[in-house]
Amino acid sequence: MKKSHLGKGMAVLCLSILFSGCNEKKKSEKQTSQNEQAMEQIKETPSTWAERLGWPAGKKVIMLHADDIGMCPEANTAAEQQLTEGVIQSAAVMVPCPNAEEFIAWARNNPAMDVGLHLTLTSEWKTHRWGTVTAPAEVPGLLDETKMMWHTVMQVVQHASANEVEKEIRAQIEQSIAWGYRPDHIDTHMGTLFGDPSYVKAYIKVAQEYGIPANIIDLSNPQVLGEFRKKGYPLDDSVVEMVEGYSLPKLDFFTSAPKADTYDEKIGAFKALIQGLEPGLTEIIFHPSVLTENLKGITGSWQQRSWEAQMFSDPDLIQFFKDEGIIFTNWKEIMKRFEKGQ
């Protein structure tokens, strides 16, 4: 009897171990399956804004974007030629500047072109200067003792309230609309709208209210956030949170054409910039201007600006873009893709 009970006990123990092993195996298989599903979801989830907007994974999608248009006739001529030739994709006008209205008129007559506003809160040159669109009495913090905009971003931050900033950027958008042109996008001259968290709040608020995309960079990538913080932008946690909640499409990265001592070096530096970019949606800004004596009298950067009016028509650089498999876009296409995906 004892032997029989012992045999039954051993049998129960063996079955218990067997079922326990089966359960563990099932748990292990279930966990493996869950891990595989999670990995598949990660693979399927777009990692860049380029992918979210429907471009292939791993591709560099680039916008060559001309800044400071409307500042002078030389800038207007250069941008009109580059846009017409299709060697750049986008441009932005400085509404307070003396030649802004004439470029807006050109944009109105060329609706296929991608033209936005380079929202302007500084007037950096020594003699070629401008004031606000808003009546001076309404935005005194934006103006220096000569009733022109401040020379530097820091001076703006020290003197201008967020309310004054919001009032002026709204006025610049409304001025463009009054001239008969609704801008395709908005961005910020000298990065001033990122000079203070309260300015970023105003910038995002205005962009979303008008439904006009702004050059807002996705800061969820720690590497991107760190890079812009190193450059001195006060991107605190509140700014990161504001950008996260921004409801229009974002850029994965943003940079500018490098300076150089010679034209050939500038081409080489630009190629190196492109090769160093991560896949994703990147806007690259530059400041093209036709070379004249007038331009030389406005800015010491006349040589760089002159080269930037030439380089994107250079067959060598055009072939380089093809060899690198670069995809080009503009804000019009970005918004079409964004709205289609909503």
Side-chain angles (χ1 to χ4, degrees):
M1 290 293 294
K2 286 183 180 180
K3 187 175 180 180
S4 175
H5 284 305
L6 180 60
K8 289 181 180 179
M10 288 296 293
V12 170
L13 179 60
C14 288
L15 287 171
S16 175
I17 292 171
L18 177 62
F19 284 122
S20 176
C22 289
N23 287 336
E24 288 301 318
K25 184 178 179 181
K26 286 179 181 178
K27 286 180 182 178
S28 177
E29 288 174 348
K30 184 178 180 181
Q31 186 63 49
T32 300
S33 176
Q34 289 174 342
N35 289 342
E36 287 174 350
Q37 289 174 3
M39 288 301 293
E40 285 302 315
Q41 287 176 351
I42 290 171
K43 288 178 184 178
E44 291 172 5
T45 302
S47 62
T48 68
W49 271 91
E51 290 177 51
R52 292 186 202 186
L53 293 168
W55 280 290
K59 292 298 251 181
K60 296 176 184 180
V61 182
I62 290 174
M63 191 182 339
L64 299 176
H65 178 87
D67 269 355
D68 290 9
I69 311 308
M71 185 185 81
C72 58
E74 292 83 355
N76 288 4
T77 300
E80 287 172 15
Q81 182 175 341
Q82 289 179 317
L83 286 167
T84 301
E85 291 179 357
V87 296
I88 70 169
Q89 293 75 49
S90 182
V93 184
M94 301 171 74
V95 170
C97 292
N99 299 99
E101 187 174 2
E102 65 190 52
F103 194 85
I104 290 293
W106 181 87
R108 192 173 63 244
N109 293 327
N110 292 271
M113 302 302 176
D114 184 79
V115 177
L117 301 186
H118 198 43
L119 298 175
T120 304
L121 299 170
T122 52
S123 178
E124 66 271 34
W125 310 120
K126 290 182 180 179
T127 58
H128 189 69
R129 309 203 59 213
W130 45 83
T132 54
V133 173
T134 311
E138 296 182 36
V139 287
L142 285 172
L143 300 166
D144 66 13
E145 65 280 359
T146 69
K147 300 303 178 185
M148 297 295 176
M149 288 182 173
W150 297 102
H151 285 276
T152 69
V153 174
M154 186 55 67
Q155 287 173 316
V156 178
V157 173
Q158 289 170 342
H159 295 91
S161 69
N163 286 337
E164 289 172 310
V165 165
E166 182 177 336
K167 183 174 286 190
E168 177 60 19
I169 64 176
R170 284 182 182 277
Q172 292 180 21
I173 294 171
E174 288 298 329
Q175 180 64 83
S176 180
I177 293 172
W179 285 337
Y181 186 77
R182 182 178 176 81
D184 292 314
H185 50 89
I186 52 177
D187 57 39
T188 169
H189 182 51
M190 296 175 68
T192 312
L193 287 169
F194 288 101
D196 186 87
S198 65
Y199 295 179
V200 179
K201 184 177 181 180
Y203 183 33
I204 287 177
K205 176 184 176 184
V206 169
Q208 292 180 154
E209 283 187 13
Y210 280 90
I212 299 174
N215 68 333
I216 300 292
I217 305 147
D218 192 335
L219 300 176
S220 63
N221 183 334
Q223 186 176 347
V224 172
L225 176 60
E227 185 161 340
F228 283 96
R229 279 176 171 169
K230 285 179 184 176
K231 291 179 179 179
Y233 290 98
L235 304 178
D236 62 16
D237 290 345
S238 71
V239 173
V240 174
E241 186 175 342
M242 281 187 271
V243 168
E244 185 180 352
Y246 175 66
S247 61
L248 295 169
K250 304 172 195 173
L251 299 168
D252 291 303
F253 197 60
F254 172 84
T255 188
S256 59
K259 295 178 182 179
D261 293 329
T262 69
Y263 176 78
D264 287 342
E265 287 178 5
K266 193 169 182 74
I267 292 289
F270 198 85
K271 289 179 179 179
L273 171 68
I274 295 292
Q275 289 174 327
L277 292 175
E278 294 294 326
L281 179 59
T282 299
E283 180 176 301
I284 304 176
I285 64 165
F286 52 95
H287 308 88
S289 292
V290 174
L291 182 56
T292 66
E293 290 304 312
N294 181 55
L295 182 67
K296 290 182 180 180
I298 293 173
T299 169
S301 65
W302 57 267
Q303 183 64 85
Q304 302 297 321
R305 290 172 184 253
S306 173
W307 287 336
E308 288 167 9
Q310 303 170 46
M311 60 190 291
F312 300 110
S313 298
D314 191 313
D316 177 56
L317 191 57
I318 291 171
Q319 186 59 50
F320 168 80
F321 291 145
K322 292 178 181 177
D323 294 342
E324 291 291 311
I326 301 301
I327 297 172
F328 290 106
T329 191
N330 61 26
W331 282 107
K332 284 181 180 290
E333 183 181 12
I334 288 168
M335 284 302 290
K336 283 179 183 177
R337 286 171 173 262
F338 179 73
E339 289 165 355
K340 185 178 179 181
Q342 296 304 297

